[in-house]
Amino acid sequence: MKKFIIVLFISLFSFAVASEQEDIENVDCVILKDENSIICKYIQERVEYDKNVTFIWIDPDEEISRSREMTIPAGHGSIYDFRYVDGRKKGIWTFKVKDQDKTYETKFEIK
């Protein structure tokens, strides 16, 4: 568990630094096999109001596995979603974030 927290902290910190340097929205997913987890994160330019975004997980069969609306609190630059690897279909997954009229996506593979 300590290893997971350390990896998560380092990942979040590096994402935050990259966000401040580039001021762009982006999305990324990391698979931590030893922790049986998938962490997907959306980074945005910080705004002074709560902002709703929609996270969409699309499985290798192009079916929506999960869609959920999440709120990025005012002043925050990122938000993440977490799922376990076990029980997920093998193949290429798509993770999308809908932020107002824009959509960002990334792909990752579960082997």
Side-chain angles (χ1 to χ4, degrees):
M1 185 65 179
K2 287 181 183 179
K3 184 178 180 182
F4 171 74
I5 292 171
I6 291 170
V7 170
L8 181 60
F9 178 77
I10 291 170
S11 298
L12 294 175
F13 180 74
S14 64
F15 284 136
V17 170
S19 177
E20 289 178 4
Q21 292 173 348
E22 299 175 16
D23 283 336
I24 60 171
E25 288 83 8
N26 66 47
V27 61
D28 192 25
C29 294
V30 176
I31 298 175
L32 302 173
K33 291 182 182 180
D34 58 331
E35 298 292 335
N36 184 36
S37 61
I38 307 163
I39 301 170
C40 291
K41 182 173 184 172
Y42 173 59
I43 300 171
Q44 64 159 14
E45 186 171 332
R46 294 174 190 265
V47 294
E48 295 305 316
Y49 54 88
D50 288 353
K51 187 174 181 184
N52 291 333
V53 297
T54 304
F55 281 9
I56 304 167
W57 297 74
I58 302 171
D59 71 21
D61 296 330
E62 298 296 320
E63 295 178 14
I64 295 176
S65 172
R66 175 163 75 183
S67 176
R68 66 191 290 200
E69 188 172 296
M70 300 182 76
T71 301
I72 303 172
H76 288 245
S78 65
I79 191 167
Y80 71 93
D81 199 7
F82 162 86
R83 297 188 83 182
Y84 290 107
V85 175
D86 287 350
R88 306 276 163 244
K89 293 180 182 178
K90 307 279 189 239
I92 305 292
W93 282 70
T94 303
F95 178 76
K96 291 185 179 184
V97 177
K98 288 188 179 181
D99 183 349
Q100 298 172 349
D101 61 343
K102 296 180 182 177
T103 301
Y104 304 92
E105 75 174 58
T106 189
K107 295 183 182 291
F108 61 91
E109 183 175 7
I110 297 177
K111 298 179 181 181

